[in-house]
CSV table of all heavy atoms in Angstrom, one decimal:
chain,number,residue,atom,x,y,z
A,21,GLU,N,-8.3,32.6,-110.2
A,21,GLU,CA,-7.7,33.7,-109.5
A,21,GLU,C,-7.9,35.0,-110.2
A,21,GLU,O,-8.2,36.1,-109.5
A,21,GLU,CB,-6.2,33.5,-109.3
A,21,GLU,CG,-5.4,34.6,-108.6
A,21,GLU,CD,-6.0,34.8,-107.2
A,21,GLU,OE1,-6.3,33.8,-106.5
A,21,GLU,OE2,-6.0,36.0,-106.8
A,22,GLU,N,-7.9,35.0,-111.5
A,22,GLU,CA,-8.2,36.2,-112.3
A,22,GLU,C,-9.7,36.6,-112.1
A,22,GLU,O,-10.0,37.8,-111.9
A,22,GLU,CB,-8.0,35.9,-113.8
A,22,GLU,CG,-8.4,37.0,-114.7
A,22,GLU,CD,-7.6,38.3,-114.6
A,22,GLU,OE1,-6.6,38.3,-113.9
A,22,GLU,OE2,-8.0,39.3,-115.2
A,23,LEU,N,-10.6,35.7,-112.0
A,23,LEU,CA,-12.0,36.0,-111.8
A,23,LEU,C,-12.1,36.6,-110.4
A,23,LEU,O,-12.8,37.6,-110.2
A,23,LEU,CB,-12.8,34.7,-111.9
A,23,LEU,CG,-14.3,34.9,-111.6
A,23,LEU,CD1,-14.9,35.9,-112.5
A,23,LEU,CD2,-15.0,33.5,-111.8
A,24,ARG,N,-11.5,36.0,-109.4
A,24,ARG,CA,-11.6,36.6,-108.0
A,24,ARG,C,-11.0,38.0,-108.0
A,24,ARG,O,-11.6,38.9,-107.3
A,24,ARG,CB,-10.8,35.7,-107.0
A,24,ARG,CG,-11.6,34.4,-106.7
A,24,ARG,CD,-10.9,33.7,-105.5
A,24,ARG,NE,-9.6,33.2,-105.8
A,24,ARG,CZ,-9.4,32.0,-106.2
A,24,ARG,NH1,-10.4,31.2,-106.5
A,24,ARG,NH2,-8.1,31.6,-106.5
A,25,ARG,N,-9.9,38.3,-108.7
A,25,ARG,CA,-9.3,39.6,-108.8
A,25,ARG,C,-10.3,40.6,-109.3
A,25,ARG,O,-10.5,41.7,-108.8
A,25,ARG,CB,-8.1,39.6,-109.6
A,25,ARG,CG,-7.4,41.0,-109.6
A,25,ARG,CD,-6.2,41.0,-110.6
A,25,ARG,NE,-6.6,40.8,-112.0
A,25,ARG,CZ,-7.0,41.8,-112.7
A,25,ARG,NH1,-7.2,43.0,-112.2
A,25,ARG,NH2,-7.4,41.6,-114.0
A,26,ARG,N,-11.0,40.3,-110.4
A,26,ARG,CA,-12.0,41.2,-111.0
A,26,ARG,C,-13.2,41.4,-110.1
A,26,ARG,O,-13.7,42.5,-110.0
A,26,ARG,CB,-12.4,40.6,-112.4
A,26,ARG,CG,-11.3,40.6,-113.4
A,26,ARG,CD,-11.9,40.4,-114.8
A,26,ARG,NE,-10.8,40.4,-115.8
A,26,ARG,CZ,-11.0,40.4,-117.1
A,26,ARG,NH1,-12.3,40.4,-117.5
A,26,ARG,NH2,-10.0,40.3,-117.9
A,27,VAL,N,-13.6,40.4,-109.4
A,27,VAL,CA,-14.8,40.6,-108.5
A,27,VAL,C,-14.4,41.5,-107.4
A,27,VAL,O,-15.1,42.4,-107.0
A,27,VAL,CB,-15.2,39.2,-108.0
A,27,VAL,CG1,-16.2,39.4,-106.8
A,27,VAL,CG2,-15.8,38.4,-109.1
A,28,ARG,N,-13.2,41.3,-106.8
A,28,ARG,CA,-12.7,42.2,-105.7
A,28,ARG,C,-12.6,43.6,-106.2
A,28,ARG,O,-13.0,44.6,-105.5
A,28,ARG,CB,-11.3,41.7,-105.2
A,28,ARG,CG,-11.4,40.5,-104.4
A,28,ARG,CD,-10.1,40.3,-103.6
A,28,ARG,NE,-8.9,40.2,-104.5
A,28,ARG,CZ,-8.5,39.0,-105.0
A,28,ARG,NH1,-9.1,37.9,-104.6
A,28,ARG,NH2,-7.4,39.0,-105.7
A,29,ASN,N,-12.1,43.9,-107.4
A,29,ASN,CA,-12.0,45.2,-108.0
A,29,ASN,C,-13.4,45.8,-108.2
A,29,ASN,O,-13.6,47.0,-107.9
A,29,ASN,CB,-11.3,45.2,-109.3
A,29,ASN,CG,-9.8,44.9,-109.2
A,29,ASN,OD1,-9.2,45.3,-108.1
A,29,ASN,ND2,-9.1,44.4,-110.2
A,30,ALA,N,-14.3,45.0,-108.7
A,30,ALA,CA,-15.6,45.5,-108.9
A,30,ALA,C,-16.3,45.9,-107.6
A,30,ALA,O,-17.1,46.9,-107.6
A,30,ALA,CB,-16.5,44.5,-109.6
A,31,MET,N,-16.1,45.2,-106.6
A,31,MET,CA,-16.7,45.5,-105.3
A,31,MET,C,-16.1,46.7,-104.6
A,31,MET,O,-16.8,47.5,-103.9
A,31,MET,CB,-16.5,44.3,-104.3
A,31,MET,CG,-17.3,43.1,-104.8
A,31,MET,SD,-17.0,41.6,-103.8
A,31,MET,CE,-17.8,42.2,-102.2
A,32,ARG,N,-14.8,47.0,-104.9
A,32,ARG,CA,-14.1,48.2,-104.3
A,32,ARG,C,-14.3,49.4,-105.1
A,32,ARG,O,-14.4,50.5,-104.5
A,32,ARG,CB,-12.6,47.9,-104.2
A,32,ARG,CG,-12.3,46.9,-103.1
A,32,ARG,CD,-10.8,47.0,-102.8
A,32,ARG,NE,-9.9,46.8,-104.0
A,32,ARG,CZ,-9.4,45.6,-104.3
A,32,ARG,NH1,-9.5,44.6,-103.5
A,32,ARG,NH2,-8.6,45.5,-105.3
A,33,GLU,N,-14.4,49.3,-106.4
A,33,GLU,CA,-14.4,50.5,-107.3
A,33,GLU,C,-15.5,50.5,-108.3
A,33,GLU,O,-15.7,49.6,-109.0
A,33,GLU,CB,-13.1,50.6,-108.0
A,33,GLU,CG,-11.8,50.7,-107.1
A,33,GLU,CD,-10.6,50.9,-107.9
A,33,GLU,OE1,-10.5,51.8,-108.7
A,33,GLU,OE2,-9.6,50.1,-107.7
A,34,PRO,N,-16.4,51.6,-108.3
A,34,PRO,CA,-17.5,51.6,-109.2
A,34,PRO,C,-17.1,51.5,-110.7
A,34,PRO,O,-17.9,51.1,-111.5
A,34,PRO,CB,-18.1,53.0,-108.9
A,34,PRO,CG,-17.7,53.3,-107.5
A,34,PRO,CD,-16.4,52.7,-107.3
A,35,LYS,N,-15.9,51.9,-111.0
A,35,LYS,CA,-15.5,51.9,-112.4
A,35,LYS,C,-15.5,50.5,-113.0
A,35,LYS,O,-15.5,50.4,-114.2
A,35,LYS,CB,-14.1,52.6,-112.6
A,35,LYS,CG,-13.0,51.8,-112.0
A,35,LYS,CD,-11.7,52.6,-112.2
A,35,LYS,CE,-10.5,51.8,-111.7
A,35,LYS,NZ,-9.2,52.5,-111.9
A,36,TYR,N,-15.4,49.5,-112.2
A,36,TYR,CA,-15.4,48.1,-112.7
A,36,TYR,C,-16.8,47.5,-112.8
A,36,TYR,O,-17.0,46.4,-113.1
A,36,TYR,CB,-14.5,47.2,-111.8
A,36,TYR,CG,-13.1,47.5,-111.9
A,36,TYR,CD1,-12.4,48.3,-111.1
A,36,TYR,CD2,-12.3,46.9,-112.9
A,36,TYR,CE1,-11.0,48.6,-111.2
A,36,TYR,CE2,-11.0,47.1,-113.1
A,36,TYR,CZ,-10.3,48.0,-112.2
A,36,TYR,OH,-9.0,48.2,-112.3
A,37,ARG,N,-17.8,48.3,-112.4
A,37,ARG,CA,-19.2,47.7,-112.3
A,37,ARG,C,-19.6,47.2,-113.7
A,37,ARG,O,-20.2,46.1,-113.7
A,37,ARG,CB,-20.2,48.8,-111.8
A,37,ARG,CG,-21.5,48.2,-111.5
A,37,ARG,CD,-22.4,49.4,-111.0
A,37,ARG,NE,-21.9,49.9,-109.7
A,37,ARG,CZ,-21.7,51.3,-109.6
A,37,ARG,NH1,-22.1,52.1,-110.5
A,37,ARG,NH2,-21.2,51.7,-108.4
A,38,ASP,N,-19.5,47.9,-114.7
A,38,ASP,CA,-19.9,47.5,-116.1
A,38,ASP,C,-19.1,46.2,-116.5
A,38,ASP,O,-19.7,45.3,-117.1
A,38,ASP,CB,-19.7,48.6,-117.1
A,38,ASP,CG,-20.7,49.7,-116.9
A,38,ASP,OD1,-21.7,49.5,-116.2
A,38,ASP,OD2,-20.4,50.8,-117.4
A,39,GLU,N,-17.8,46.2,-116.2
A,39,GLU,CA,-17.0,45.1,-116.5
A,39,GLU,C,-17.6,43.8,-115.8
A,39,GLU,O,-17.7,42.7,-116.5
A,39,GLU,CB,-15.6,45.3,-116.2
A,39,GLU,CG,-14.7,44.1,-116.6
A,39,GLU,CD,-13.3,44.3,-116.2
A,39,GLU,OE1,-13.0,45.3,-115.4
A,39,GLU,OE2,-12.4,43.4,-116.5
A,40,LEU,N,-17.9,43.9,-114.6
A,40,LEU,CA,-18.4,42.8,-113.8
A,40,LEU,C,-19.7,42.3,-114.4
A,40,LEU,O,-19.9,41.1,-114.6
A,40,LEU,CB,-18.6,43.1,-112.4
A,40,LEU,CG,-19.1,42.0,-111.5
A,40,LEU,CD1,-18.2,40.8,-111.5
A,40,LEU,CD2,-19.3,42.5,-110.0
A,41,LEU,N,-20.6,43.2,-114.8
A,41,LEU,CA,-21.9,42.9,-115.3
A,41,LEU,C,-21.7,42.1,-116.7
A,41,LEU,O,-22.3,41.1,-116.9
A,41,LEU,CB,-22.7,44.1,-115.6
A,41,LEU,CG,-24.1,43.9,-116.2
A,41,LEU,CD1,-25.0,43.1,-115.2
A,41,LEU,CD2,-24.8,45.3,-116.4
A,43,LEU,N,-19.1,40.5,-117.5
A,43,LEU,CA,-18.4,39.2,-117.2
A,43,LEU,C,-19.5,38.2,-116.8
A,43,LEU,O,-19.5,37.0,-117.3
A,43,LEU,CB,-17.4,39.4,-116.1
A,43,LEU,CG,-16.6,38.2,-115.7
A,43,LEU,CD1,-15.7,37.7,-116.8
A,43,LEU,CD2,-15.8,38.6,-114.4
A,64,THR,N,-3.7,48.0,-120.8
A,64,THR,CA,-4.0,46.6,-120.7
A,64,THR,C,-5.3,46.2,-121.5
A,64,THR,O,-5.4,45.0,-121.9
A,64,THR,CB,-4.2,46.1,-119.3
A,64,THR,OG1,-5.3,46.8,-118.7
A,64,THR,CG2,-3.0,46.5,-118.4
A,66,GLU,N,-8.1,45.9,-120.1
A,66,GLU,CA,-8.9,45.1,-119.2
A,66,GLU,C,-10.1,45.8,-118.5
A,66,GLU,O,-10.9,45.2,-117.8
A,66,GLU,CB,-8.0,44.4,-118.2
A,66,GLU,CG,-7.1,43.4,-118.8
A,66,GLU,CD,-6.1,42.8,-117.8
A,66,GLU,OE1,-6.2,43.1,-116.6
A,66,GLU,OE2,-5.3,41.9,-118.2
A,67,SER,N,-10.1,47.1,-118.7
A,67,SER,CA,-11.3,47.9,-118.2
A,67,SER,C,-11.5,49.1,-119.1
A,67,SER,O,-10.6,49.4,-119.9
A,67,SER,CB,-11.0,48.3,-116.8
A,67,SER,OG,-10.1,49.4,-116.7
A,69,THR,N,-11.3,52.1,-118.3
A,69,THR,CA,-10.3,53.1,-118.0
A,69,THR,C,-8.9,52.7,-118.5
A,69,THR,O,-8.0,53.5,-118.4
A,69,THR,CB,-10.3,53.4,-116.5
A,69,THR,OG1,-10.0,52.2,-115.8
A,69,THR,CG2,-11.6,54.0,-116.1
A,70,GLU,N,-8.7,51.5,-118.9
A,70,GLU,CA,-7.5,51.0,-119.4
A,70,GLU,C,-7.6,50.5,-120.9
A,70,GLU,O,-7.0,49.6,-121.3
A,70,GLU,CB,-7.0,49.8,-118.6
A,70,GLU,CG,-6.2,50.2,-117.3
A,70,GLU,CD,-4.8,50.7,-117.7
A,70,GLU,OE1,-4.1,50.1,-118.5
A,70,GLU,OE2,-4.4,51.8,-117.1
Side-chain angles (χ1 to χ4, degrees):
E21 181 56 37
E22 172 68 7
L23 179 57
R24 284 194 292 270
R25 181 185 69 80
R26 292 194 183 190
V27 171
R28 287 196 299 269
N29 286 336
M31 293 175 67
R32 287 198 302 263
E33 301 184 51
K35 69 181 181 179
Y36 287 96
R37 188 178 302 130
D38 290 341
E39 182 184 6
L40 178 60
L41 181 62
L43 181 67
T64 65
E66 293 179 357
S67 74
T69 58
E70 276 287 317

